[in-house]
Amino acid sequence: MISSPPHALRRPSAVAGLLSVVALFASSCSSPGTTTDATTTEASATATQSAAASTGVDLTLFKAGAVVGDPSTVDCTLSGGAETTCYEITISGYPTDHEVGPFCPETITTGADKAGIWFDGEGVYDLDGEFIANLAEKYNDSGWQMYDENGNVFVTDTAEAFEAAARPDVDPAYQNYCIEGSVDYLENGEPITSTVLIPTSPVAAAAPSEPQGNQGVTLDGVIIAASAPVDAILGAYTIASFDDCGGHFNPFEGYHLHGATGCSETGTASEGETAMFGYAMDGYPVHSPYSEAELANVQLDECNGHTTEAEGYHYHANSAAKNQVIQCLVGQTVAGEGDGGGPPAGGVPAGGAPGNN
């Protein structure tokens, strides 16, 4: 079991020793129309004012193959009523600079180097055989038994099993399974593309708001999805495994991201910064998380963003442990854009969620 994602983030030399990504905490976002106290109102004003500094979306930062076809510029109306232009971009739906997986361990003796990770809002864990063997203890529920008498882990190793387990109403036959997807299980064995509208230049909102639906896109062609429905997943006695990059498959959206662990980065970062790896749906850049030690030396707003001379305004992703890549948005998004389905989920079994039995 580990408390931080397995990928070390790239850093300038001055901070090269600060490599572990740990829990990144921030205050809750205020939705428009929500009553707030003076402190929160001041923080919101600071966030939206500082967010005014941005050079806009740079299409040249997307990696080769990340975008399908040529992006187009279209007129669009944003959530706050602003009329502007947006890029219409079709995202490839599969990372172009690294292979996906591994996901589930084969046996309860499989090491972390041959398996992915799991995060549940409280921590990030190596999804090795030991973690699977200790699920009952981890979640205080004797209903967990995800391996047979020989120590083989129950894994969705066919398209049929994957589709039966990776849906809101998990087939009871696949409770106590580790859910593992593959591009081969998708229609025609091809990645699922997604077309998004992102403002060409961000427009600050009146107040920060929580992301609705998909949160953004990575520079290597993957959707940054909303939080994984961990309670429902665990409630069905399943583990919807992530690879070391914090992504996984479902039958409806294909491969998508739930945690930032250092993949998809541009490979460069200014002094004291982490590298950029994507754009939020409001058009502001998203950088990799800071470590806990680094957070002591920077000041972020309530959406984990700040303005620097070199980078302008940008967000820093939460630690993967939080199961929410982007804390909240300071910019306007296209009205209705990003409303998408979730990742593999499961209904709560008759006995209730794990820990209640």
Side-chain angles (χ1 to χ4, degrees):
M1 183 179 299
I2 61 174
S3 59
S4 60
H7 278 285
L9 303 181
R10 291 185 284 271
R11 298 285 192 273
S13 58
V15 291
L18 304 173
L19 298 178
S20 63
V21 181
V22 295
L24 181 63
F25 45 84
S27 57
S28 298
C29 301
S30 300
S31 298
T34 302
T35 301
T36 58
D37 58 26
T39 301
T40 303
T41 301
E42 181 179 354
S44 298
T46 300
T48 54
Q49 288 168 6
S50 65
S54 176
T55 58
V57 175
D58 183 352
L59 295 176
T60 67
L61 293 179
F62 285 92
K63 301 183 180 184
V67 175
V68 178
D70 294 325
S72 59
T73 303
V74 298
D75 294 331
C76 55
T77 301
L78 304 184
S79 52
E83 295 185 359
T84 185
T85 59
C86 289
Y87 286 127
E88 186 174 63
I89 306 170
T90 299
I91 299 300
S92 67
Y94 199 85
T96 60
D97 61 350
H98 63 269
E99 294 296 323
V100 303
F103 294 99
C104 298
E106 292 185 5
T107 73
I108 59 173
T109 60
T110 298
D113 59 328
K114 295 182 179 179
I117 60 175
W118 168 246
F119 42 82
D120 58 7
E122 297 182 359
V124 183
Y125 318 97
D126 281 326
L127 192 57
D128 54 16
E130 181 181 3
F131 183 82
I132 296 294
N134 292 322
L135 278 170
E137 179 181 356
K138 165 64 181 174
Y139 290 114
N140 191 30
D141 186 343
S142 60
W144 288 98
Q145 181 67 34
M146 202 171 281
Y147 58 93
D148 64 19
E149 64 275 10
N150 296 317
N152 298 307
V153 177
F154 301 127
V155 178
T156 56
D157 55 2
T158 66
E160 293 74 21
F162 172 62
E163 292 177 2
R167 67 187 195 191
D169 54 336
V170 174
D171 186 325
Y174 292 101
Q175 291 182 5
N176 263 309
Y177 265 69
C178 185
I179 303 174
E180 175 177 299
S182 166
V183 69
D184 295 333
Y185 299 165
L186 304 179
E187 186 175 357
N188 299 321
E190 298 177 350
I192 298 175
T193 61
S194 299
T195 300
V196 298
L197 290 174
I198 299 178
T200 54
S201 293
V203 178
S209 62
E210 294 185 6
Q212 301 296 317
N214 294 328
Q215 299 183 346
V217 296
T218 69
L219 298 177
D220 67 348
V222 176
I223 289 290
I224 302 173
S227 301
V230 168
D231 287 345
I233 292 168
L234 295 177
Y237 294 101
T238 57
I239 295 291
S241 60
F242 304 103
D243 63 14
D244 283 353
C245 289
H248 65 186
F249 289 92
N250 75 25
F252 315 105
E253 297 174 321
Y255 185 83
H256 55 281
L257 196 74
H258 289 291
T261 66
C263 300
S264 312
E265 294 179 334
T266 58
T268 60
S270 57
E271 189 68 28
E273 270 295 331
T274 60
M276 177 185 172
F277 71 91
Y279 280 105
M281 295 304 295
D282 60 4
Y284 287 112
V286 186
H287 288 228
S288 287
Y290 276 124
S291 71
E292 186 175 28
E294 289 167 331
L295 283 170
N297 298 313
V298 296
Q299 184 174 358
L300 303 178
D301 63 32
E302 62 187 293
C303 293
N304 290 348
H306 64 168
T307 301
T308 64
E309 183 177 354
E311 309 284 351
Y313 184 84
H314 57 278
Y315 301 112
H316 282 272
N318 286 313
S319 162
K322 192 175 177 66
N323 182 32
Q324 181 171 329
V325 176
I326 300 173
Q327 182 67 20
C328 55
L329 299 175
V330 299
Q332 299 182 41
T333 60
V334 174
E337 182 70 12
D339 295 334
V348 178
N356 295 333
N357 295 338

